């Protein structure tokens, strides 16, 4: 069994709302000490994921230009990013429910959420030890 030293996780948040970016960064860094990278668009998020190889991606569904579903498909189309777990973070669970549920997404966290509980929700979805 591998008992290597646990390094801080790196989470990429792809969300066009600055307020959400700030709240998620604060909640995750304060509670779990994980690094949070942010992207304001799907295109930017895919580029950051390819470069920085985060341990997981939190992805908003509703964004201008490249929405969450298109971003998810783009992430899964590249060898460098297809292994990264993706969790949708969205208020639109019913509107886009069927569309995202047909995708091999790792999970969904509804908005609004408690930012201080995000690490435990992420860890639960991905079977990580906090």
């Amino acid at each position: 069994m591998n008992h290597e030293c646990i390094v801080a996780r790196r989470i990429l948040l792809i969300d066009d709302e600055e307020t959400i970016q700030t709240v998620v960064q604060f909640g995750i860094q304060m509670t779990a000490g994980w690094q949070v990278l942010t992207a304001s668009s799907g295109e930017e998020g895919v580029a950051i994921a390819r470069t920085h190889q985060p341990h997981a991606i939190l992805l908003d569904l509703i964004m201008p230009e490249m929405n969450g579903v298109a971003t998810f498909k783009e992430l899964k189309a590249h060898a460098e990013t297809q292994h990264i777990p993706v969790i949708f973070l969205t208020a639109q669970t019913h509107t886009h429910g069927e569309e995202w549920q047909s995708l091999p997404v790792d999970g969904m966290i509804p908005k609004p959420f408690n930012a201080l509980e995000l690490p435990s929700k992420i860890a639960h979805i991905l079977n990580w030890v906090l």
Side-chain angles (χ1 to χ4, degrees), residues 4-17:
E4 67 184 48
C5 203
I6 296 178
V7 295
R9 304 255 184 210
R10 186 171 41 251
I11 307 295
L12 170 58
L13 169 66
I14 305 173
D15 195 307
D16 60 314
E17 294 181 50

Side-chain angles (χ1 to χ4, degrees), residues 28-94:
I28 289 177
Q29 288 173 344
M30 288 296 297
T31 309
W34 299 342
Q35 179 185 13
V36 180
L37 306 171
T38 59
S40 299
S41 70
E43 190 175 281
E44 181 187 10
V46 170
I48 290 172
R50 291 176 86 170
T51 305
H52 295 283
Q53 293 291 301
H55 295 99
I57 296 172
L58 297 178
L59 176 58
D60 187 22
L61 272 176
I62 309 302
M63 295 185 291
E65 297 166 34
M66 192 174 178
N67 70 16
V69 172
T71 302
F72 178 85
K73 289 178 179 176
E74 186 69 19
L75 288 164
K76 295 304 174 183
H78 296 285
E80 315 81 49
T81 54
Q82 63 186 202
H83 67 282
I84 303 170
V86 177
I87 299 170
F88 281 132
L89 189 66
T90 185
Q92 303 296 322
T93 55
H94 298 298

